[in-house]
Amino acid sequence: MLLSAAAGNGLSLHKVPSWLKGWKSPWNKKGNGGELISEGEQESTSAAQSSVSRLKRYDYDTIPRVLDRLGLDRLFSGRGSLGLDRHRAFSVVSESRASDSMLRFFDCCQRYEDYRKNQEPEIEKRKEPVLDDISKSLTERYGLNFTRQQISSLWFLCKQEASLLDVTDQACGMFSLSQVALLEWTDDMEVFILKGYGNSLNYRMGVPLLQDIVQSMEKAITAKEEKQVPGSYEKARLCFAHAEIVLPFTCLLGLFLEGGHHGKIQIQREQSLQLPPRPPAIRIWKGSAVAPFAGNNMLNMLVLYSCPAANLSDGYFVQVLHNEEPIAMPGCDGLHFFPFQMFKDKLVAPHLGHDFNTLCTVNVEEPSPPPEPSKFSLFCWLFWLWNDDKQPLTDELE
């Protein structure tokens, strides 16, 4: 459309990048969406293998036995390209998408649905100055009359080409580095408002999942104390979800907070935070770090350890990993490894003052996101595990 309009107006096209003149969509013959490309399959498989390897005392036979019991192991082996047995990747879909308040709370909270619809026009307004400035710059640079929507489409194409095709010299090449930084910020701002700290409703919806975590850990501790027979209790729970769950749950844990101690207090009080600062200012909240593509699909891992060598009344500790790396918990005194009781008291308890149904009732007013101050298929894996009582504390942390 841009090229046709320019040619129709007798404008020269000598400034136009050559790739744009002959560009054709590489996806125009694709009939199915929502599936991993081959690189995504390999990355997800590698991440799963490294996750299991990290938990050295995990029962490696558990998952293969479950798959074999379901017939999935034999069904998909030899039919794909993953691993020595050439497994084929397959998807698992929840049967209760409209009522799953633990892993699809954004689908069954009417109050959130209303909030999201109301915020979308406001988000577009916040993006307009950036898009207008870039459209003016690109119009001067390439001699084409770019509109705000076309800049947005070019940015979307840039991200698709870079992530799926490893092409960065076409749509991405039309933007300067500073423009890329601003466009990334607009994406992060949108995610912040609709899925992050921009509204406490976003992460408070994740309380049922947080409660399930605590209850599962408590059951694991009971099984440990009662010396229940291995195989009769749960050693790990794996929850698979997308960015709409991973991002709010990350906020519920208080990660990637701007504002240091003050930000931690605001989260404990379930208050909304100010938007991440605009470039060139440095910001902690980045969608590419909080919830990247499935190349690092083990986003949140909560590990429960039994540490009798610690000689404490509470011999159970929790460690949180994000993107496979241990991360300090602001809500637990900034520690990487902290007592289970601290986890319950300082991080969980402040969020238990309401239930999901009450929270999602439409007639309760929710404050708008704060003013601006002076972004993935994704998975969430939650593990619970304990180590051998005879091992010293240092061994258990390896």
Side-chain angles (χ1 to χ4, degrees):
M1 293 174 60
L2 278 168
L3 296 176
S4 298
N9 292 326
L11 300 178
S12 172
L13 300 180
H14 72 278
K15 294 182 179 179
V16 178
S18 58
W19 72 266
L20 189 58
K21 299 176 183 179
W23 184 83
K24 295 183 183 299
S25 171
W27 303 287
N28 58 0
K29 295 183 180 181
K30 302 293 182 181
N32 297 322
E35 297 179 355
L36 291 175
I37 61 175
S38 59
E39 290 85 352
E41 292 178 354
Q42 294 291 346
E43 289 172 353
S44 298
T45 301
S46 297
Q49 291 170 341
S50 66
S51 301
V52 174
S53 298
R54 187 183 191 98
L55 299 176
K56 298 177 181 179
R57 297 181 181 277
Y58 184 68
D59 183 357
Y60 289 87
D61 294 331
T62 301
I63 294 178
R65 284 205 306 269
V66 173
L67 292 177
D68 187 63
R69 188 176 303 166
L70 296 174
L72 297 178
D73 191 45
R74 292 187 299 272
L75 179 62
F76 291 100
S77 63
R79 296 176 178 268
S81 59
L82 306 178
L84 296 177
D85 294 327
R86 294 174 50 241
H87 286 280
R88 173 187 172 186
F90 59 91
S91 61
V92 179
V93 181
S94 171
E95 294 290 342
S96 55
R97 296 177 63 178
S99 60
D100 188 350
S101 62
M102 193 170 72
L103 289 180
R104 294 193 69 88
F105 44 72
F106 61 93
D107 264 346
C108 48
C109 182
Q110 186 58 50
R111 188 174 164 203
Y112 173 74
E113 288 290 323
D114 294 345
Y115 163 76
R116 183 184 182 97
K117 290 178 182 178
N118 291 334
Q119 286 302 314
E120 286 174 350
E122 180 64 24
I123 291 172
E124 293 307 311
K125 284 186 179 180
R126 291 179 181 272
K127 292 181 178 182
E128 285 178 5
V130 171
L131 296 176
D132 287 343
D133 287 346
I134 295 178
S135 64
K136 181 180 179 181
S137 176
L138 264 63
T139 295
E140 295 174 354
R141 190 183 309 164
Y142 299 111
L144 298 174
N145 190 22
F146 288 96
T147 65
R148 187 186 300 152
Q149 181 58 51
Q150 288 164 343
I151 295 298
S152 181
S153 296
L154 268 177
W155 173 236
F156 181 77
L157 177 60
C158 164
K159 292 183 290 185
Q160 296 296 304
E161 288 183 336
S163 58
L164 303 179
L165 305 177
D166 197 25
V167 173
T168 58
D169 59 353
Q170 294 189 164
C172 294
M174 298 187 71
F175 301 109
S176 67
L177 291 178
S178 61
Q179 290 170 343
V180 167
L182 284 170
L183 289 168
E184 286 180 333
W185 173 76
T186 63
D187 286 349
D188 292 343
M189 175 187 63
E190 179 175 357
V191 168
F192 187 90
I193 294 174
L194 297 183
K195 302 174 186 177
Y197 289 118
N199 191 317
S200 62
L201 173 64
N202 296 337
Y203 57 85
R204 281 192 289 167
M205 291 188 298
V207 168
L209 177 57
L210 188 62
Q211 290 175 311
D212 182 75
I213 291 173
V214 174
Q215 292 169 3
S216 298
M217 288 183 169
E218 290 174 336
K219 290 179 180 178
I221 291 174
T222 298
K224 180 73 171 178
E225 297 294 330
E226 295 179 352
K227 294 180 171 51
Q228 296 180 14
V229 178
S232 65
Y233 52 82
E234 182 179 80
K235 293 193 68 175
R237 180 171 296 188
L238 294 84
C239 301
F240 301 86
H242 292 280
E244 290 79 5
I245 301 299
V246 174
L247 282 158
F249 185 72
T250 299
C251 294
L252 197 59
L253 294 178
L255 306 180
F256 299 95
L257 273 172
E258 307 277 358
H261 179 72
H262 179 64
K264 180 188 73 173
I265 298 300
Q266 286 181 283
I267 295 306
Q268 290 177 335
R269 295 176 179 175
E270 296 185 332
Q271 298 173 347
S272 302
L273 272 64
Q274 287 192 327
L275 295 175
R278 174 173 169 159
I282 303 299
R283 68 184 185 279
I284 299 175
W285 179 268
K286 291 186 177 182
S288 58
V290 182
F293 267 140
N296 223 355
N297 70 344
M298 190 197 69
L299 290 185
N300 294 318
M301 174 187 269
L302 286 85
V303 189
L304 177 65
Y305 289 89
S306 171
C307 303
N311 294 321
L312 297 174
S313 57
D314 183 1
Y316 296 92
F317 288 76
V318 176
Q319 185 183 51
V320 177
L321 291 85
H322 188 273
N323 295 332
E324 303 183 57
E325 294 293 336
I327 189 167
M329 298 293 291
C332 294
D333 298 343
L335 299 174
H336 290 79
F337 194 74
F338 43 88
F340 176 55
Q341 192 62 45
M342 176 186 285
F343 174 69
K344 291 199 298 182
D345 293 344
K346 292 193 171 184
L347 197 148
V348 180
H351 298 298
L352 300 183
H354 52 78
D355 61 41
F356 183 83
N357 292 330
T358 301
L359 177 68
C360 291
T361 301
V362 178
N363 60 2
V364 180
E365 292 188 3
E366 182 71 24
S368 299
E372 182 180 345
S374 51
K375 162 160 193 332
F376 0 90
S377 60
L378 304 167
F379 304 87
C380 175
W381 288 28
L382 306 177
F383 281 81
W384 290 265
L385 183 72
W386 52 83
N387 285 346
D388 194 299
D389 285 349
K390 298 179 181 179
Q391 294 296 321
L393 180 60
T394 53
D395 288 345
E396 299 191 27
L397 290 175
E398 291 182 353

